[in-house]
Amino acid sequence: MKSRPGGAALAPLLSGLLSGLLVVLTAGPSYAAPEKPARSVALSRSEAARGADVTVTGKGWRPGALLMLLVCGQSTPELGVIGGTNSCSNADGQAVTTDGEGSFSKVLPAAPPPKPCPCVVHVATVQGEQAVVDTELTITGHPVAPLPTESGDGRLAVLTEPRLDGSGSLLTWFGAPPARTLVFTVGNLGSGPVKDPVFQLGTAHGVFAPQWEDRQWKGTIGPGQKAEIKLDFELSPGAHGDYQVSLQYAKKLLATEPWGVDRPWGVTLFWILLCLVVPAAVFRIGMVVVDRLRPRAPRRSDQARHRGVRLPDVTVRLPKVRRAPAEGPPPAAPEPGPGTAPHGTTAALPWFTPDSAPSENHPNRP
Protein backbone atom coordinates (compact mmCIF):
# COMPACT_ATOMS: atom_id res chain seq x y z
CA MET A 1 0.00 0.00 0.00
CA LYS A 2 1.38 3.35 -0.95
CA SER A 3 1.37 6.24 1.49
CA ARG A 4 0.34 9.72 0.55
CA PRO A 5 3.13 12.15 -0.19
CA GLY A 6 3.88 14.46 2.80
CA GLY A 7 2.24 12.12 5.36
CA ALA A 8 5.55 11.53 7.14
CA ALA A 9 6.02 15.28 7.53
CA LEU A 10 2.53 15.87 8.93
CA ALA A 11 2.78 13.19 11.63
CA PRO A 12 5.28 15.08 13.89
CA LEU A 13 3.29 18.27 13.46
CA LEU A 14 0.04 16.61 14.55
CA SER A 15 1.69 14.94 17.57
CA GLY A 16 3.15 18.30 18.65
CA LEU A 17 -0.24 19.99 18.41
CA LEU A 18 -1.90 17.23 20.41
CA SER A 19 0.72 17.35 23.17
CA GLY A 20 0.44 21.14 23.40
CA LEU A 21 -3.35 20.87 23.61
CA LEU A 22 -3.06 18.33 26.43
CA VAL A 23 -0.69 20.60 28.36
CA VAL A 24 -3.08 23.52 28.03
CA LEU A 25 -6.04 21.45 29.15
CA THR A 26 -4.32 19.79 32.12
CA ALA A 27 -2.49 22.83 33.43
CA GLY A 28 -4.56 24.95 35.80
CA PRO A 29 -4.65 28.70 35.79
CA SER A 30 -1.33 30.10 37.03
CA TYR A 31 -1.22 33.24 39.12
CA ALA A 32 2.13 34.96 39.57
CA ALA A 33 2.76 36.07 43.15
CA PRO A 34 3.07 39.82 43.35
CA GLU A 35 6.64 40.85 43.98
CA LYS A 36 7.26 42.88 47.10
CA PRO A 37 8.61 46.28 46.15
CA ALA A 38 12.17 46.88 47.22
CA ARG A 39 12.89 49.51 49.84
CA SER A 40 14.10 52.71 48.29
CA VAL A 41 15.02 56.21 49.41
CA ALA A 42 15.18 59.25 47.17
CA LEU A 43 16.43 62.78 47.84
CA SER A 44 15.09 66.00 46.40
CA ARG A 45 18.69 67.06 45.70
CA SER A 46 21.95 65.12 45.64
CA GLU A 47 24.04 68.14 46.68
CA ALA A 48 23.08 70.67 49.32
CA ALA A 49 24.71 73.46 51.27
CA ARG A 50 25.40 73.11 54.98
CA GLY A 51 22.12 73.44 56.87
CA ALA A 52 19.90 73.42 53.75
CA ASP A 53 16.69 71.39 53.76
CA VAL A 54 16.52 68.15 51.80
CA THR A 55 13.25 66.29 51.26
CA VAL A 56 13.66 62.55 51.81
CA THR A 57 11.03 60.21 50.32
CA GLY A 58 10.85 56.46 50.58
CA LYS A 59 8.80 53.52 49.30
CA GLY A 60 8.55 49.79 49.97
CA TRP A 61 8.96 50.00 53.74
CA ARG A 62 6.88 48.16 56.32
CA PRO A 63 3.54 49.92 56.89
CA GLY A 64 3.42 51.82 60.17
CA ALA A 65 7.17 51.47 60.76
CA LEU A 66 9.07 54.09 62.77
CA LEU A 67 12.14 55.25 60.85
CA MET A 68 15.17 57.32 61.86
CA LEU A 69 16.74 59.74 59.35
CA LEU A 70 20.33 60.91 59.87
CA VAL A 71 23.06 62.62 57.88
CA CYS A 72 26.24 60.60 58.40
CA GLY A 73 29.84 61.18 57.37
CA GLN A 74 32.63 58.75 56.54
CA SER A 75 30.05 56.52 54.84
CA THR A 76 29.07 55.18 51.43
CA PRO A 77 25.98 53.29 50.23
CA GLU A 78 28.17 50.23 49.55
CA LEU A 79 30.03 50.11 52.88
CA GLY A 80 27.38 51.71 55.05
CA VAL A 81 28.05 53.92 58.06
CA ILE A 82 31.58 52.93 59.00
CA GLY A 83 31.78 54.82 62.26
CA GLY A 84 28.30 53.90 63.45
CA THR A 85 25.91 56.62 64.55
CA ASN A 86 28.85 58.44 66.16
CA SER A 87 29.64 59.58 62.62
CA CYS A 88 26.17 61.11 62.22
CA SER A 89 24.64 64.44 63.15
CA ASN A 90 22.36 62.94 65.78
CA ALA A 91 21.13 66.27 67.15
CA ASP A 92 19.54 67.16 63.79
CA GLY A 93 18.07 63.74 63.04
CA GLN A 94 14.40 63.28 62.21
CA ALA A 95 11.87 60.52 62.91
CA VAL A 96 9.01 59.57 60.60
CA THR A 97 6.33 56.86 60.49
CA THR A 98 5.41 55.20 57.22
CA ASP A 99 1.81 55.19 55.98
CA GLY A 100 -0.36 52.18 55.17
CA GLU A 101 1.49 51.60 51.87
CA GLY A 102 4.97 51.82 53.38
CA SER A 103 5.78 55.28 52.00
CA PHE A 104 7.01 58.42 53.75
CA SER A 105 8.22 61.95 53.08
CA LYS A 106 10.23 64.08 55.50
CA VAL A 107 12.28 67.27 55.38
CA LEU A 108 15.80 66.70 56.76
CA PRO A 109 18.36 69.49 57.30
CA ALA A 110 21.76 68.80 55.72
CA ALA A 111 23.58 69.32 59.01
CA PRO A 112 27.35 68.76 58.83
CA PRO A 113 28.26 65.43 60.52
CA PRO A 114 31.21 65.11 62.92
CA LYS A 115 33.15 63.07 60.33
CA PRO A 116 34.26 64.26 56.89
CA CYS A 117 32.49 63.23 53.71
CA PRO A 118 31.71 61.12 51.68
CA CYS A 119 28.29 61.48 53.34
CA VAL A 120 25.00 59.63 53.14
CA VAL A 121 21.43 59.99 54.35
CA HIS A 122 21.02 57.04 56.70
CA VAL A 123 17.45 55.67 56.98
CA ALA A 124 16.92 52.79 59.41
CA THR A 125 14.05 51.20 61.29
CA VAL A 126 13.92 51.78 65.04
CA GLN A 127 11.93 48.74 66.15
CA GLY A 128 11.11 45.34 64.76
CA GLU A 129 12.87 43.94 61.71
CA GLN A 130 16.14 45.75 61.02
CA ALA A 131 16.21 47.52 57.66
CA VAL A 132 18.75 50.12 56.51
CA VAL A 133 19.09 52.12 53.30
CA ASP A 134 21.88 54.66 52.69
CA THR A 135 21.68 57.29 49.95
CA GLU A 136 24.65 59.39 48.88
CA LEU A 137 24.55 63.11 49.68
CA THR A 138 27.17 65.78 48.98
CA ILE A 139 27.36 68.64 51.46
CA THR A 140 28.90 71.79 50.05
CA GLY A 141 31.61 73.26 52.23
CA HIS A 142 32.11 70.15 54.36
CA PRO A 143 35.60 68.58 54.33
CA VAL A 144 36.18 65.39 52.35
CA ALA A 145 38.63 62.65 53.38
CA PRO A 146 39.31 59.11 52.16
CA LEU A 147 37.69 56.26 54.02
CA PRO A 148 39.79 54.54 56.70
CA THR A 149 41.45 51.32 55.69
CA GLU A 150 41.22 48.12 57.69
CA SER A 151 44.20 47.45 59.93
CA GLY A 152 45.58 43.91 60.06
CA ASP A 153 44.68 40.86 58.08
CA GLY A 154 42.05 39.53 60.51
CA ARG A 155 38.38 40.16 59.85
CA LEU A 156 35.64 39.13 62.28
CA ALA A 157 32.04 38.39 61.37
CA VAL A 158 29.08 37.30 63.50
CA LEU A 159 28.09 33.71 62.68
CA THR A 160 25.09 33.17 64.98
CA GLU A 161 22.17 35.28 66.13
CA PRO A 162 23.18 37.11 69.33
CA ARG A 163 21.16 36.55 72.48
CA LEU A 164 20.82 38.20 75.88
CA ASP A 165 21.41 35.97 78.89
CA GLY A 166 20.41 36.80 82.44
CA SER A 167 17.30 37.87 84.30
CA GLY A 168 16.17 40.43 86.83
CA SER A 169 16.32 40.08 90.61
CA LEU A 170 14.55 41.50 93.64
CA LEU A 171 16.97 44.44 93.67
CA THR A 172 16.14 45.17 90.04
CA TRP A 173 12.47 45.24 91.02
CA PHE A 174 13.37 48.05 93.42
CA GLY A 175 15.36 50.10 90.90
CA ALA A 176 18.79 48.43 90.72
CA PRO A 177 20.58 48.65 87.33
CA PRO A 178 19.32 45.92 84.94
CA ALA A 179 22.25 43.76 83.75
CA ARG A 180 22.55 41.26 80.90
CA THR A 181 25.21 39.31 79.00
CA LEU A 182 25.39 39.55 75.22
CA VAL A 183 26.39 36.13 73.83
CA PHE A 184 27.36 35.64 70.17
CA THR A 185 29.73 33.61 68.02
CA VAL A 186 32.25 35.26 65.70
CA GLY A 187 34.49 33.81 63.02
CA ASN A 188 37.76 35.08 61.59
CA LEU A 189 37.31 35.39 57.85
CA GLY A 190 40.72 36.98 57.27
CA SER A 191 44.13 35.53 56.70
CA GLY A 192 45.71 36.65 59.98
CA PRO A 193 44.90 36.06 63.65
CA VAL A 194 42.93 38.50 65.76
CA LYS A 195 44.29 38.94 69.29
CA ASP A 196 42.30 40.50 72.15
CA PRO A 197 39.66 42.16 69.95
CA VAL A 198 37.94 45.28 71.28
CA PHE A 199 34.21 45.47 70.60
CA GLN A 200 31.96 48.50 70.90
CA LEU A 201 28.71 47.81 72.75
CA GLY A 202 25.95 50.39 72.53
CA THR A 203 22.54 50.70 74.16
CA ALA A 204 19.83 52.96 72.75
CA HIS A 205 16.46 53.86 74.26
CA GLY A 206 13.67 54.63 71.79
CA VAL A 207 14.80 56.88 68.94
CA PHE A 208 17.94 58.10 70.70
CA ALA A 209 21.40 57.25 69.43
CA PRO A 210 23.22 54.42 71.23
CA GLN A 211 25.82 55.15 73.89
CA TRP A 212 28.94 53.19 72.92
CA GLU A 213 31.31 51.56 75.40
CA ASP A 214 34.47 49.54 74.68
CA ARG A 215 34.49 45.89 75.74
CA GLN A 216 37.70 43.88 75.27
CA TRP A 217 37.67 40.12 74.91
CA LYS A 218 40.78 38.28 76.01
CA GLY A 219 41.90 35.64 73.55
CA THR A 220 43.15 34.98 70.03
CA ILE A 221 41.03 33.93 67.07
CA GLY A 222 43.05 32.33 64.30
CA PRO A 223 42.21 32.40 60.57
CA GLY A 224 39.15 30.28 59.88
CA GLN A 225 38.43 29.78 63.57
CA LYS A 226 35.40 30.83 65.58
CA ALA A 227 34.85 31.72 69.20
CA GLU A 228 31.94 32.40 71.53
CA ILE A 229 32.05 35.92 72.95
CA LYS A 230 30.29 37.00 76.17
CA LEU A 231 30.10 40.70 77.00
CA ASP A 232 28.55 41.94 80.25
CA PHE A 233 26.80 45.30 80.44
CA GLU A 234 24.17 47.10 82.51
CA LEU A 235 21.84 50.07 82.20
CA SER A 236 21.35 53.03 84.48
CA PRO A 237 19.39 52.55 87.75
CA GLY A 238 15.63 52.59 87.29
CA ALA A 239 15.83 52.13 83.50
CA HIS A 240 12.75 50.62 81.83
CA GLY A 241 11.16 50.50 78.40
CA ASP A 242 12.27 49.34 74.95
CA TYR A 243 16.03 49.27 74.45
CA GLN A 244 18.21 48.19 71.53
CA VAL A 245 21.64 46.65 72.07
CA SER A 246 24.11 47.16 69.19
CA LEU A 247 27.48 45.54 68.57
CA GLN A 248 30.21 46.80 66.30
CA TYR A 249 33.85 45.94 65.61
CA ALA A 250 36.41 47.95 63.69
CA LYS A 251 33.76 50.64 63.11
CA LYS A 252 31.41 48.14 61.48
CA LEU A 253 27.98 47.28 62.85
CA LEU A 254 27.83 43.52 63.43
CA ALA A 255 24.48 42.90 65.13
CA THR A 256 21.57 44.49 66.96
CA GLU A 257 19.28 42.92 69.55
CA PRO A 258 16.05 44.38 71.04
CA TRP A 259 15.57 44.31 74.81
CA GLY A 260 12.36 45.10 76.70
CA VAL A 261 13.15 46.17 80.27
CA ASP A 262 10.35 45.81 82.84
CA ARG A 263 9.32 48.73 85.02
CA PRO A 264 10.69 48.65 88.60
CA TRP A 265 7.32 48.30 90.33
CA GLY A 266 8.98 48.13 93.75
CA VAL A 267 9.87 51.83 93.48
CA THR A 268 6.27 52.66 92.65
CA LEU A 269 5.06 50.62 95.62
CA PHE A 270 7.56 52.42 97.86
CA TRP A 271 6.27 55.86 96.83
CA ILE A 272 2.67 54.77 97.35
CA LEU A 273 3.44 53.55 100.87
CA LEU A 274 5.43 56.71 101.55
CA CYS A 275 2.45 58.84 100.52
CA LEU A 276 0.28 56.90 102.97
CA VAL A 277 2.68 56.66 105.93
CA VAL A 278 3.92 60.26 105.98
CA PRO A 279 0.44 61.86 106.25
CA ALA A 280 -0.52 59.33 108.95
CA ALA A 281 2.65 60.14 110.92
CA VAL A 282 2.03 63.89 110.59
CA PHE A 283 -1.54 63.41 111.79
CA ARG A 284 -0.37 61.44 114.84
CA ILE A 285 2.22 64.08 115.73
CA GLY A 286 -0.39 66.80 115.37
CA MET A 287 -2.77 64.97 117.68
CA VAL A 288 -0.03 64.61 120.31
CA VAL A 289 0.77 68.32 120.10
CA VAL A 290 -2.91 69.25 120.41
CA ASP A 291 -3.29 66.91 123.39
CA ARG A 292 -0.32 68.56 125.11
CA LEU A 293 -1.48 72.12 124.48
CA ARG A 294 -5.18 71.83 125.33
CA PRO A 295 -6.31 72.85 128.89
CA ARG A 296 -6.77 69.87 131.18
CA ALA A 297 -9.78 69.32 133.53
CA PRO A 298 -8.94 69.26 137.31
CA ARG A 299 -8.56 65.86 138.88
CA ARG A 300 -10.88 64.48 141.55
CA SER A 301 -8.23 64.83 144.26
CA ASP A 302 -7.79 68.48 143.29
CA GLN A 303 -11.54 68.97 143.41
CA ALA A 304 -11.69 67.45 146.91
CA ARG A 305 -8.70 69.55 147.95
CA HIS A 306 -10.29 72.84 146.90
CA ARG A 307 -13.75 71.88 148.11
CA GLY A 308 -14.85 73.32 151.47
CA VAL A 309 -14.39 71.34 154.71
CA ARG A 310 -17.44 69.30 155.42
CA LEU A 311 -18.65 69.72 159.00
CA PRO A 312 -19.83 66.62 160.82
CA ASP A 313 -23.52 66.20 160.99
CA VAL A 314 -24.96 67.57 164.29
CA THR A 315 -27.83 65.68 165.73
CA VAL A 316 -30.09 67.64 167.87
CA ARG A 317 -31.19 65.57 170.80
CA LEU A 318 -34.20 66.79 172.64
CA PRO A 319 -34.38 66.20 176.38
CA LYS A 320 -36.65 63.43 177.44
CA VAL A 321 -39.74 64.52 179.20
CA ARG A 322 -40.38 62.57 182.35
CA ARG A 323 -43.94 61.75 183.02
CA ALA A 324 -45.31 61.98 186.47
CA PRO A 325 -45.70 58.58 188.08
CA ALA A 326 -49.19 57.33 188.32
CA GLU A 327 -50.79 56.62 191.64
CA GLY A 328 -50.49 53.02 192.70
CA PRO A 329 -47.87 50.54 193.77
CA PRO A 330 -44.40 51.02 192.30
CA PRO A 331 -43.47 48.73 189.45
CA ALA A 332 -41.47 45.67 190.31
CA ALA A 333 -37.83 45.77 189.40
CA PRO A 334 -36.80 43.46 186.60
CA GLU A 335 -35.07 40.27 187.57
CA PRO A 336 -31.40 40.26 186.83
CA GLY A 337 -30.59 38.24 183.78
CA PRO A 338 -27.55 36.13 183.15
CA GLY A 339 -24.41 38.17 183.14
CA THR A 340 -25.95 40.90 185.16
CA ALA A 341 -24.72 41.55 188.63
CA PRO A 342 -27.08 42.46 191.39
CA HIS A 343 -27.84 46.09 192.13
CA GLY A 344 -27.93 46.85 188.36
CA THR A 345 -24.20 46.45 187.59
CA THR A 346 -22.96 44.38 184.65
CA ALA A 347 -20.99 41.27 185.66
CA ALA A 348 -17.53 40.80 184.20
CA LEU A 349 -17.25 38.18 181.52
CA PRO A 350 -14.80 35.33 182.07
CA TRP A 351 -11.60 35.98 180.05
CA PHE A 352 -8.03 34.98 180.03
CA THR A 353 -5.69 36.65 182.44
CA PRO A 354 -2.20 37.64 181.37
CA ASP A 355 -0.75 34.66 183.25
CA SER A 356 -3.14 32.09 181.75
CA ALA A 357 -2.77 32.95 178.04
CA PRO A 358 -2.13 29.88 175.88
CA SER A 359 1.03 31.37 174.43
CA GLU A 360 2.51 31.95 177.87
CA ASN A 361 1.94 28.39 179.15
CA HIS A 362 2.90 26.63 175.92
CA PRO A 363 5.60 28.65 174.14
CA ASN A 364 6.40 25.91 171.56
CA ARG A 365 2.79 25.64 170.37
CA PRO A 366 2.10 27.75 167.30
Side-chain angles (χ1 to χ4, degrees):
M1 182 177 180
K2 296 182 179 181
S3 59
R4 295 182 179 180
L10 293 176
L13 181 60
L14 292 176
S15 61
L17 292 175
L18 291 175
S19 60
L21 183 60
L22 291 175
V23 170
V24 172
L25 293 177
T26 55
S30 60
Y31 300 96
E35 296 182 359
K36 185 178 180 180
R39 289 182 291 268
S40 62
V41 174
L43 306 179
S44 60
R45 59 178 77 176
S46 59
E47 183 176 356
R50 302 178 57 172
D53 292 337
V54 178
T55 303
V56 184
T57 57
K59 296 180 180 179
W61 296 81
R62 187 174 69 252
L66 180 62
L67 306 180
M68 177 179 58
L69 285 65
L70 296 172
V71 177
C72 303
Q74 194 177 278
S75 308
T76 60
E78 294 79 14
L79 299 178
V81 182
I82 296 178
T85 54
N86 289 337
S87 302
C88 307
S89 54
N90 298 315
D92 298 299
Q94 299 290 332
V96 64
T97 304
T98 59
D99 56 13
E101 297 179 357
S103 303
F104 70 92
S105 178
K106 189 70 175 181
V107 176
L108 177 68
K115 299 292 183 178
C117 284
C119 301
V120 298
V121 173
H122 180 75
V123 182
T125 55
V126 176
Q127 298 175 348
E129 182 183 359
Q130 188 71 15
V132 178
V133 174
D134 297 325
T135 306
E136 185 176 359
L137 175 66
T138 302
I139 300 178
T140 306
H142 194 64
V144 180
L147 297 177
T149 57
E150 297 182 4
S151 59
D153 298 330
R155 186 163 56 92
L156 298 180
V158 176
L159 304 180
T160 59
E161 186 71 18
R163 71 178 188 273
L164 295 176
D165 287 350
S167 60
S169 61
L170 183 61
L171 296 179
T172 307
W173 200 66
F174 282 96
R180 291 292 187 273
T181 301
L182 182 64
V183 182
F184 57 96
T185 302
V186 297
N188 187 1
L189 305 181
S191 58
V194 178
K195 182 180 180 180
D196 299 338
V198 179
F199 298 91
Q200 285 76 39
L201 195 63
T203 55
H205 181 50
V207 298
F208 296 98
Q211 303 293 329
W212 297 99
E213 296 181 2
D214 293 339
R215 292 287 189 273
Q216 187 176 17
W217 181 77
K218 295 292 185 179
T220 303
I221 306 175
Q225 295 181 354
K226 61 181 181 179
E228 186 181 44
I229 310 296
K230 295 182 179 181
L231 303 177
D232 299 330
F233 67 97
E234 64 179 18
L235 303 178
S236 58
H240 62 277
D242 295 330
Y243 282 81
Q244 189 172 19
V245 182
S246 304
L247 177 71
Q248 67 177 10
Y249 174 74
K251 298 182 179 180
K252 288 185 178 180
L253 187 64
L254 300 182
T256 57
E257 184 71 14
W259 180 20
V261 184
D262 297 333
R263 181 181 294 273
W265 293 108
V267 179
T268 305
L269 179 62
F270 170 77
W271 285 111
I272 292 176
L273 293 178
L274 187 64
C275 293
L276 295 177
V277 172
V278 170
V282 172
F283 176 76
R284 295 286 296 178
I285 295 174
M287 293 299 294
V288 172
V289 172
V290 170
D291 184 67
R292 292 295 181 88
L293 296 180
R294 69 177 180 178
R296 294 182 175 276
R299 300 178 181 177
R300 294 184 178 180
S301 60
D302 298 340
Q303 293 178 0
R305 185 181 306 169
H306 296 287
R307 188 179 300 169
V309 179
R310 185 177 180 181
L311 297 178
D313 296 336
V314 180
T315 304
V316 180
R317 297 180 179 274
L318 298 177
K320 296 182 178 181
V321 180
R322 294 180 177 273
R323 296 180 179 180
E327 295 180 358
E335 295 180 0
T340 304
H343 306 290
T345 60
T346 304
L349 296 176
W351 197 250
F352 294 102
T353 60
D355 297 336
S356 62
S359 60
E360 295 293 340
N361 298 330
H362 305 281
N364 295 331
R365 182 179 299 176

